[in-house]
Amino acid sequence: MRDGYEADVFAEGGDGDEREDTPSGQERTFAALPPAHGRGFADSWWGRAWLKALEDTALDGRQLKEGRRFAREGLVGAVSVRPGRITAVVRERDGSTYRSDVLLQELDEQDWDRFLDMAVERAGHIAALLDREMPPHLVEDAAAAGMDLLPGIGDLDPECSCEAWDHCPHTAALCYQVARLLDQDPFVLLLMRGRGERRLLDELQERIASLAGEPDPAAAPEQRAAGGSEVPGVPAAQAYAEAGILPALPAPPELPDAPGTAPSLDTETDPEPGVDPAALEMLATDSAARAHRMLADALAPGHEHRPPAAEPTVQQDAVRLAAEARPEPWIVKRLAAGSGRPRAGLPAAVAAWRHGGAAALAVLDEDRALDSDVLVRARARLAEAWEEDEAPRLRAERNRWTSADGGVQLRYGPDGRWYPYRKENGQWFPAGPADDDPAAAWAQARGL
């Protein structure tokens, strides 16, 4: 084809160079992108999700492969995006050009009503959308509301001046280029489905204002003239009276049998420098396990009467991860550095955490002198623990009592409990959980 549109469709504007052609933002034109480098074609979640949907629903893998090559080589011109249609001129290596269009079914008004209802019901979606971000789980929530944002089988209808009856390399190249546009701005997908960013955000804000009971701005002058309040309220007596007739709160959620499975981050896209996918998968698995424990604790009787647990420090949390997540060896090395310990000292810290959490870890690290009254109480408890002829010979130093042979030790913690230790390869190692009874802790340290 040869027309006036072709003259500037291959003028590269760089990533993100675009213009909005209509006042409502219902059409956007993105300048031609330079050739793509690297193994992966799309970098963002949205770009990769679009590619997966495209490749999962394509009928001719050969045409897709050729189109991917065209897009990678920078043969796709400026892309025009508007509701239900994307358009670009695609150039072949011999210089011939073809106008390619891909049509995508628009969502109807009922669909958008459901989308807005779903968005305002979830504070996270509202915050993200108003901040011009598109959270990935929006796809799942939209699907649950009965609308599919990503294309399914038969949703992408190609039209090309090469007169191919189905996807040709030109329309496939255009679809691959859209993945790179979604890297720049996921709102492009919503525009293809029928709503530009500006219109969608305006409708979302109107929906939020309506639910919040804000008055119509046009009626505000009349309300003020009548001496009324702009925001209607409820008298306190009425609110108090209605408290007894309001429905009961819903039952708490049931505890799942097990934490959810962490997502796999093994994709064709190379990670950013310094990002370890295996470490991220470990953190996701650990987060799911912690959330499951927190929910179990919240559902346990008497939870509301217990004070919240203190948050661990960064150093403590590194030890906790090493103790609970059972990471790979190369991750253990990073956790040791994060805990502020040499790697050789991490096993003792891990054992302390497994036996008693942050309190046991503090006892491992501290070497503190006892106040005189605390020392008197500790000696009295030791004296009461054994008959006079059965008491072991102990050498006292600060908060530690060590056996005469130097192989076993009791440490007196700030919580008034006794922590058993055993020397292994020249290093003191936690030998079990703390106990109120020093004799029981001593037996634990001896392995009895």
Side-chain angles (χ1 to χ4, degrees), residues 170-185:
H170 316 112
T171 57
L174 172 56
C175 288
Y176 274 102
Q177 197 76 327
V178 168
R180 299 178 69 187
L181 301 185
L182 291 172
D183 280 352
Q184 299 177 24
D185 186 355

Side-chain angles (χ1 to χ4, degrees), residues 196-219:
E197 176 183 336
R198 187 180 309 165
R199 179 179 174 185
L200 177 70
L201 295 180
D202 287 346
E203 292 178 350
L204 181 62
Q205 289 175 325
E206 291 174 4
R207 187 69 58 95
I208 295 170
S210 175
L211 291 176
E214 292 185 5
D216 183 353

Side-chain angles (χ1 to χ4, degrees), residues 238-254:
Q238 177 184 341
Y240 183 81
E242 291 177 353
I245 62 174
L246 292 175
L249 293 174
E254 292 186 4

Side-chain angles (χ1 to χ4, degrees), residues 115-441:
F115 180 90
L116 292 170
D117 287 341
M118 177 273 298
V120 298
E121 287 175 359
R122 293 162 175 80
H125 289 338
I126 293 176
L129 290 170
L130 292 181
D131 203 28
R132 287 168 170 76
E133 296 178 358
M134 284 266 286
H137 51 275
L138 195 66
V139 168
E140 296 178 359
D141 290 343
M147 51 184 294
D148 293 320
L149 296 180
L150 293 169
I153 296 177
D155 283 353
L156 297 176
D157 186 15
E159 295 179 357
C160 185
S161 60
C162 76
E163 300 183 352
W165 69 274
D166 193 10
H167 270 298
C168 60
H170 316 112
T171 57
L174 172 56
C175 288
Y176 274 102
Q177 197 76 327
V178 168
R180 299 178 69 187
L181 301 185
L182 291 172
D183 280 352
Q184 299 177 24
D185 186 355
F187 277 88
V188 168
L189 179 60
L190 298 185
L191 176 56
M192 286 189 283
R193 285 298 198 182
R195 283 293 189 276
E197 176 183 336
R198 187 180 309 165
R199 179 179 174 185
L200 177 70
L201 295 180
D202 287 346
E203 292 178 350
L204 181 62
Q205 289 175 325
E206 291 174 4
R207 187 69 58 95
I208 295 170
S210 175
L211 291 176
E214 292 185 5
D216 183 353
E222 289 78 2
Q223 290 180 342
R224 284 194 294 270
S229 171
E230 292 188 18
V231 181
V234 177
Q238 177 184 341
Y240 183 81
E242 291 177 353
I245 62 174
L246 292 175
L249 293 174
E254 292 186 4
L255 180 68
D257 294 335
T261 303
S264 173
L265 301 181
D266 184 15
T267 66
E268 67 171 15
T269 303
D270 293 330
E272 293 292 327
V275 175
D276 186 343
L280 289 179
E281 287 186 12
M282 181 203 72
L283 290 174
T285 300
D286 174 73
S287 297
R290 291 185 68 196
H292 189 265
R293 289 198 300 269
M294 291 171 67
L295 180 58
D297 183 60
L299 296 176
H303 169 75
E304 66 276 13
H305 302 300
R306 295 194 297 270
E311 287 293 320
T313 65
V314 172
Q315 293 77 14
Q316 290 172 339
D317 205 45
V319 174
R320 182 195 64 79
L321 281 168
E324 297 178 0
R326 303 188 184 278
E328 298 292 341
W330 69 87
I331 301 178
V332 171
K333 183 178 180 180
R334 296 176 62 180
L335 290 175
S339 71
R341 306 168 188 274
R343 186 168 182 179
L346 187 59
V350 166
W353 188 273
R354 288 176 179 167
H355 288 314
L361 185 62
V363 172
L364 170 70
D365 293 333
E366 70 182 5
D367 181 8
R368 62 188 179 90
L370 299 179
D371 294 338
S372 58
D373 56 338
V374 175
L375 181 60
V376 168
R377 288 197 300 271
R379 290 187 182 279
R381 294 182 67 182
L382 282 171
E384 295 170 356
W386 292 277
E387 297 294 338
E388 186 174 349
D389 57 344
E390 296 177 350
R393 294 177 56 196
L394 299 176
R395 182 179 69 254
E397 184 176 3
R398 301 167 72 80
N399 68 323
R400 305 178 180 188
W401 277 263
T402 308
S403 64
D405 60 8
V408 175
Q409 188 177 87
L410 293 180
R411 298 189 181 184
Y412 191 70
D415 55 0
R417 308 182 76 202
W418 300 88
Y419 290 77
Y421 274 74
R422 188 164 45 239
K423 183 167 283 190
E424 299 180 6
N425 299 321
Q427 180 183 6
W428 287 112
F429 213 85
D435 202 294
D436 292 329
D437 181 2

Side-chain angles (χ1 to χ4, degrees), residues 5 28-32 76-81 86-88 174 177-178 181:
Y5 178 57
R28 298 171 68 180
T29 301
F30 294 79
V76 180
V79 179
S80 172
V81 182
I86 51 178
T87 304
L174 172 56
Q177 197 76 327
V178 168
L181 301 185

